[in-house]
Each structure stands twice: as C-alpha cells, then as structure tokens.
Amino acid sequence: MAHVLLIEDDASIRRSLSMALGRHGHQVRAAETGEDGLAQSRAAWHEVVVLDLMLPGIDGFEVCRRLRADSGVPVIMLTARGDDFDVVGGLEAGADDYVVKPVEPRVLDARIRAVLRRGVAERARAETHAGLTIDRGAMTVAKDGELVALTPTELRVLLELSRTPGQVLSRQQLLESVWEHDYLGDSRLVDNCVQRLRAKIEPDPASPVFVQTVRGFGYRFGPV
C-alpha cells in the first residue's frame, strides 16, 4: 500500500484511477490541476506522485520540475501519447517512469510498486571514489563532502553501477534491475536518468568520470 498523489484534470479518469488504485490497496489523494497538486504535495506526505502531462494552467512538465526541486518523491508521468517528445520531455523534467494512457490499473499499480521498491535501503558501508562518497546504508551520496540530492531512481542507478566498478552494464540490464522493465524500447529511461545523474555528480558532465559510456554496450562506473 502506498500514499499516492494523483494529479489528473479529466474527472472520469481521475475518479476511475482513484477507485482502481484504492482497490489495489493504495491510499489516493487526487488533484485536478497542477497548482492544486503542488499545494497538496506540500501539505501532506506522499510516497509517489502520478502526474498527468496535459493539465490546464501549469502543465505536467513544470509540475514535475517543481516537485523535483522541492523533494525526491518519485514521479510517474501519465502521457496521452507515447511519442518521443512527451516521453523524453517528461524524463528530462525529472520523472522516474512513464505510462501511456489509457493505462490498465494493474499496470499502473505494478509501476508504482516498482518505483517504491527502488527506495528500499541496501545495507553496506560507505565507499569513496575520487571524492564521490556513496553510503549504501544511509542511502546518501556526497560530492567532495557535500550531500547531493538524488531522486530514488538516480540513486538506484548509481548504486547498481557502483556495485561492480569497471564492469559494463547494458541498458537492458539496468532496465531490469532498476526499473524492472523488460522492454528494450524503454532505454530512453536509462539514458535520461544517466544524463541527470551526471549533471549532479560529475566534475564535468561533458567528460564523465564516474558514469562512463561504453559505446555499443552500455555504462560502467569509474574511474577505471
């Protein structure tokens, strides 16, 4: 069971998804607009936000950016279309996952549970790599002694790659271990998350040291 904030302007979709997610055991609060959703996110604690892209007033992209600036709450984007513009835009705004409408409630429930599992703590001691400290017990990352605010998905990708420094992981492997997807077409999730992660932890994101691209294969954690 999760505390879910659903931001959806379509009354029928909002009502049906709220009821369906409730039947899956979730406690759902609903907001009709981006402004209302942001207000509710500040007023109460939620474990995950399900966010429609096309909203009146502030659109889903901007709502996601503002949520991401204030907290690390996971965001699942609801898009009416599965084209690259919407999907890439949502991921670049900081969304952790996306689903294309109409969505089966059981699929959305599975995505919610997968996002939440990414936040489960791993037990291990802190390790430092060239100024980057990763504490798997505390689930924190520090760069030159300063804590870095990562989203749960960004942290999970970093933990997955840094578990075996120097070893290449394919996008498919990362999809399966971090997003629990098995569809290679979702590799944009990996690439966009890596891009955001690099912006936060790399000394120079244009010449990454920690999350390195191995052309034609995937990514590995360095320095190696």
Side-chain angles (χ1 to χ4, degrees):
M1 187 269 287
H3 291 80
V4 179
L5 174 58
L6 171 64
I7 306 176
E8 166 64 64
D9 67 312
D10 188 301
S12 62
I13 295 176
R14 189 170 64 248
R15 184 168 50 252
S16 62
L17 280 182
S18 295
M19 293 176 61
L21 291 176
R23 286 195 292 272
H24 282 280
H26 302 295
Q27 289 192 1
V28 182
R29 297 172 66 93
E32 183 176 354
T33 66
E35 291 87 343
D36 184 25
L38 289 170
Q40 291 203 40
S41 74
R42 289 190 289 268
W45 173 74
H46 302 93
E47 294 172 271
V48 61
V49 174
V50 178
L51 174 63
D52 183 29
L53 183 59
M54 302 303 292
L55 294 169
I58 303 175
D59 66 17
F61 295 122
E62 182 59 25
V63 172
C64 187
R65 279 190 284 269
R66 295 189 188 186
L67 286 170
R68 190 56 72 227
D70 292 337
S71 75
V73 63
V75 177
I76 298 175
M77 192 78 81
L78 287 174
T79 68
R81 299 172 302 177
D83 60 34
D84 287 348
F85 179 81
D86 282 356
V87 173
V88 173
L91 296 174
E92 289 182 344
D96 295 275
D97 202 352
Y98 70 92
V99 292
V100 178
K101 294 192 293 186
V103 57
E104 289 290 332
R106 60 186 175 82
V107 173
L108 183 56
D109 170 60
R111 294 293 183 90
I112 289 172
R113 294 177 188 277
V115 163
L116 293 176
R117 280 195 291 273
R118 295 172 204 159
V120 176
E122 298 183 19
R123 298 296 180 188
R125 62 182 176 83
E127 57 200 55
T128 299
H129 307 268
L132 186 72
T133 301
I134 303 171
D135 189 331
R136 295 177 184 273
M139 300 290 280
T140 60
V141 174
K143 177 182 175 183
D144 298 327
E146 298 289 331
L147 286 176
V148 179
L150 299 180
T151 68
T153 305
E154 292 161 358
L155 178 60
R156 186 73 182 271
V157 168
L158 180 60
L159 293 177
E160 196 67 26
L161 287 168
S162 62
R163 184 174 289 112
T164 53
Q167 179 178 324
V168 179
L169 296 181
S170 69
R171 291 172 176 81
Q172 182 66 32
Q173 288 174 304
L174 288 170
L175 277 172
E176 292 175 359
S177 60
V178 176
W179 282 266
E180 301 179 24
H181 288 198
D182 56 6
Y183 174 47
L184 186 56
D186 285 345
S187 62
R188 291 169 297 188
L189 285 168
V190 179
D191 295 336
N192 281 280
C193 186
V194 165
Q195 187 177 12
R196 298 197 305 271
L197 180 59
R198 283 171 170 165
K200 295 180 179 180
I201 68 170
E202 296 285 357
D204 179 4
S207 300
V209 173
F210 299 118
V211 182
Q212 304 170 352
T213 300
V214 179
R215 192 175 300 278
F217 293 94
Y219 297 101
R220 70 182 172 198
F221 183 81
V224 294

